[in-house]
Amino acid sequence: MTDSSPTPPAVLMRGITKRFPGVLANDHIDLEVRQGEIHALLGENGAGKTTLMNILYGIYHPDEGSIEIYGRPVSIHSPHDAIKLGIGMIHQQFRLVQTHTVVENVILGMGKGFVFREKEASEKIRELSARYNLKVDPDAYIWQLSAGEQQRVEILKALYRGAQILILDEPTSMLTPGEIEDLLKTLHRMTEEGHTILFITHKLDEVTAISHRVTILRQGRVIATLETSQTNERELARLMVGREVLFRLSKEQIQPGEVMLQVENLQALNDKGLFALKGISFTIRQGEIFGIAGVAGNGQRELVEALIGLRPVQAGRVFLQKDEITHDSPRARIEKGLACVPSERLTALVPSMSVAENMVLKSYRQPAFGRGILLDRTTVRSYSQRLIEQYAVITPSCDTLVKLLSGGNIQRALLARELSSQPRLLIAATPTAGLDVGATETIWQILLEQRRQGRAILLISEDLEEVMTLSDRVAVLFSGEIMGIVRSEAQNLEKIGLMMAGAFRLPQEEWV
Amino acid sequence: MIDFLISIVSLTIPAGTALLYGTLGEVYAERSGVLNLGVEGMMIMGAVTGFAVTTATGNALLGILAAAIIGVLMSLVHAFASVTLRVNQVVSGLALTMLGLGISGMMGKRFIGLPLAGRLTPLDIPVLSDLPILGPMFFRFNILVYFSILLVPLLWFILYKTHWGITLRSVGENPAAADAMGINVSLVRYLAVMFGGMLAGLGGAYLSVAYAPAWIEGMTAGAGWIVIALTIFSLWDPRRALLGAYLFGGVRVLQFFLQPLGISPNLLNMLPFLLTIVVLWMISEQAFRRRIGVPAALMQPYSREER
Ligand SMILES: Nc1ncnc2c1ncn2[C@@H]1O[C@H](COP(=O)(O)OP(=O)(O)O)[C@@H](O)[C@H]1O
Ligand SMILES: [Mg+2]
């Protein structure tokens, strides 16, 4: 114990530095977290938040720096050490064994004795979940649980190990608005019991809603640590991004034109052979962005794959304008004017080929690009150069390999290619996932500009803010069904939240 | 007719026992996420070592023990390559098989054609072995056969009803989750692979010290490959491993009955290799993997710092 202060901080990290090949993820970071507080760690994607917390949890080893827990210098070599020090971490990608039950996951590595006494263990878990209001069935299998429930299992795992210091890495990113509220309540309850909480986020409203203090990271450095009560979202945004941010995007009124995509009673299976889409119908018109909101894993992936022809359709029909494409090959669909920016953007590009080659990946068969069976490199390059300029892709040259670009530029290059064919419909699946605020802004602008030009766009995103900002109409996907279609207006937000949780279904005649 | 049945059963169980040992071991190794294609190599080394040590000492149990140790040592090579060095598990396992076949061939030259002094003899279980019909069917085997059968419920219980089992399965399903809970993923994988090696060695010794008993070069004749296939057909469950092993034991026995009818034994000899190809394809196919419940991290090296 240090004698300088009566209650030493729960966590004190000093001069933490961590390098990955080519990036300085943490640059001499100092962080002090007081006992019993909720401390927010705010920063854009790539700021180094997860890295810092992984160091605290023993998953990464810092290149430099020291850590004290409750005033005692410690060295944390593995999660095992961290657990012994009373630290628990809930990762952004849950670390759960999907095929095991809740109890099996919770007691993992903690079991006393040789034989697994399931009843005793699940009794103890029931007690814990009642105490902290973390509702979950101990005997359920993880794969049966929603993202919110899985997160509760993760919290239970930490509590079961007696964690006093709890790290939550972007805990709200997979939750519905209702679930977020419950989580925040639980966290308050935990601080009342003396737990200390480290809450990672890049959402400003969450910082102001629950934290006592906030530390802002940018590009691996600490920018400031502030009392939350003495700051505001505007200041936080400026500190986080390093410049003033425009929060307003102009979305003008547009009269939607003719129907470009019509989906009727679409049904498809997931990889397990179960129905992932249970009869989905909607239409999208020219000059309209149609948003699909919902928590990940409710059929979004299957919907995209069924529409672009990578997943067989079990029943139902799909029309692109007047052409039926239900059973067309992916290539036939492309030729009929379907374009797609998939959620895993690197699967739509060849990362180890140049920007120019990627730009013509779908159109190189056109006579304009060829000389006989050979590619006409000069034409290809001048054509890509034009797209690079038009979409403001930042790249040293059009011969640079795609994998060397940043996420935002890869996405712009991909959009450039997909839009260059003037498609009848653009599918954009989580188009800004993993991008920072600046890059997100430009992607949003591109999509809105396309809408202005009369493009029909299907936007699928788990980021509710994104769906609400861009779309004209929003459909909520839950468990393979559309729960309702509403206008994207602030007053519908609560309804959308309930539908995302499956707690509410809008009667069909009220769909817009 | 009854006599025929008795002879089929009493031949099938011994014929499937080496497969059972190998499969039980491989089930545990794969449950931890490590595919070991070196089973054939470890088995044949177990066979030659078992034979050599039994000949030298005149004590079959010492021979079996030595075979188990050789199996463990060989599996350590694979564990080191696939867990510590994180190289491709297929390549490392294949190398182990080549190595085993080569070394055993060299080591065994002097034993070819020799009779085995001190072979493992059948152990008639008192009372039970005198039962009509059931006695000759089930209770006149050697000790290695009984032991392999006892292992089945034991290993099943450990896998599903104990903390060890939960830990083992978690490591094979999601090593990152196990790691985050303070479990030493590498240690678990090492132990599982070594256990697999031990049982493969035992299986080999069973062939040369009890079943044959003799040393014949390449005497495992693809048993290690059948083990790989059986592991998958067992869906990583020791109980189904028993079923599969005896099924294949039965096929071997049938071979003796079919040969006089003019059906080439080469057809049956091809089977293990064909099966292995099918099986490797199945566990590489993403959609299929999920459907049959392959341990999700099978063949995937784990590194804490990698994303
Ligand atoms: N395991 C890793 N290997 C290589 N680079 C990494 C690894 N983890 C993080 N990084 C890099 O370190 C930087 C910080 O990442 P991260 O800590 O995940 O940021 P945040 O959580 O704030 O979004 C990023 O540039 C990221 O690409
Ligand atoms: Mg992160």
Side-chain angles (χ1 to χ4, degrees), chain B residues 270-290:
Chain B
M270 256 164 53
L271 210 57
F273 306 103
L274 284 179
L275 271 177
T276 311
I277 292 170
V278 171
V279 148
L280 281 180
W281 167 77
M282 287 197 323
I283 57 176
S284 312
E285 192 72 10
Q286 271 310 321
F288 213 89
R289 274 182 82 120
R290 261 175 250 150

Side-chain angles (χ1 to χ4, degrees), chain A residues 18-26 42-54 60 92 169-170 200-202 217 220, chain B residues 304-307:
Chain A
K18 177 73 185 173
R19 290 181 195 86
F20 288 113
V23 250
L24 186 54
N26 285 171
L42 177 71
E44 289 198 90
N45 273 306
K49 309 179 294 291
T50 301
T51 302
L52 185 66
M53 291 300 102
N54 275 337
Y60 294 161
Q92 190 174 6
D169 193 351
E170 310 222 3
I200 304 183
T201 184
H202 63 247
L217 293 188
Chain B
R304 190 179 278 163
E305 294 229 355
E306 227 160 65
R307 282 188 298 187

Side-chain angles (χ1 to χ4, degrees), chain B:
Chain B
M1 186 60 214
I2 282 287
D3 284 349
F4 182 68
L5 193 69
I6 290 176
S7 74
I8 287 275
V9 172
S10 64
L11 287 173
T12 291
I13 292 180
T17 295
L19 296 177
L20 182 55
Y21 274 117
T23 308
L24 289 174
E26 184 69 6
V27 164
Y28 263 51
E30 290 190 18
R31 280 286 187 172
S32 81
V34 183
L35 172 79
N36 188 351
L37 293 185
V39 177
E40 177 85 355
M42 301 188 295
M43 273 185 134
I44 194 90
M45 282 299 288
V48 74
T49 308
F51 191 91
V53 173
T54 306
T55 306
T57 62
N59 185 336
L61 289 182
L62 280 181
I64 292 164
L65 186 71
I69 291 171
I70 276 292
V72 171
L73 290 179
M74 286 196 65
S75 69
L76 268 174
V77 176
H78 184 61
F80 182 69
S82 58
V83 180
T84 305
L85 301 180
R86 294 187 276 125
V87 303
N88 184 311
Q89 297 181 5
V90 171
V91 174
S92 154
L94 280 176
L96 200 59
T97 286
M98 309 279 195
L99 191 76
L101 289 172
I103 295 182
S104 66
M106 264 167 37
M107 270 175 66
K109 282 263 185 316
R110 13 194 297 247
F111 302 119
I112 295 176
L114 288 187
L116 181 66
R119 64 172 290 197
L120 207 59
T121 45
L123 185 77
D124 294 357
I125 297 191
V127 187
L128 291 179
S129 60
D130 296 330
L131 290 177
I133 304 173
L134 291 182
M137 253 183 180
F138 295 114
F139 300 108
R140 292 183 189 172
F141 299 131
N142 64 63
I143 187 149
L144 277 182
V145 176
Y146 298 129
F147 182 60
S148 69
I149 296 172
L150 281 182
L151 271 180
V152 172
L154 184 70
L155 292 182
W156 174 83
F157 185 81
I158 290 177
L159 195 55
Y160 291 103
K161 304 286 174 192
T162 70
H163 296 299
W164 284 4
I166 295 176
T167 301
L168 176 68
R169 286 184 287 132
S170 300
V171 166
E173 288 289 335
N174 188 346
D179 186 26
M181 292 296 96
I183 284 166
N184 187 336
V185 172
S186 299
L187 180 67
V188 171
R189 289 189 164 175
Y190 261 89
L191 291 176
V193 171
M194 284 159 67
F195 181 73
M198 183 179 88
L199 290 196
L202 272 184
Y206 168 81
L207 288 177
S208 67
V209 177
Y211 186 62
W215 167 253
I216 304 157
E217 197 173 328
M219 71 185 295
T220 43
W225 295 113
I226 300 183
V227 162
I228 304 292
L230 283 179
T231 304
I232 285 142
F233 289 121
S234 77
L235 301 179
W236 300 272
D237 182 331
R239 294 170 306 178
R240 261 175 297 215
L242 177 107
L243 220 81
Y246 289 168
L247 209 72
F248 267 80
V251 170
R252 280 273 148 113
V253 171
L254 274 184
Q255 196 176 332
F256 298 121
F257 293 90
L258 294 181
Q259 217 166 332
L261 304 180
I263 295 173
S264 162
N266 289 338
L267 274 176
L268 280 167
N269 290 340
M270 256 164 53
L271 210 57
F273 306 103
L274 284 179
L275 271 177
T276 311
I277 292 170
V278 171
V279 148
L280 281 180
W281 167 77
M282 287 197 323
I283 57 176
S284 312
E285 192 72 10
Q286 271 310 321
F288 213 89
R289 274 182 82 120
R290 261 175 250 150
R291 198 167 313 153
I292 63 173
V294 180
L298 185 61
M299 300 205 275
Q300 288 166 14
Y302 176 66
S303 152
R304 190 179 278 163
E305 294 229 355
E306 227 160 65
R307 282 188 298 187

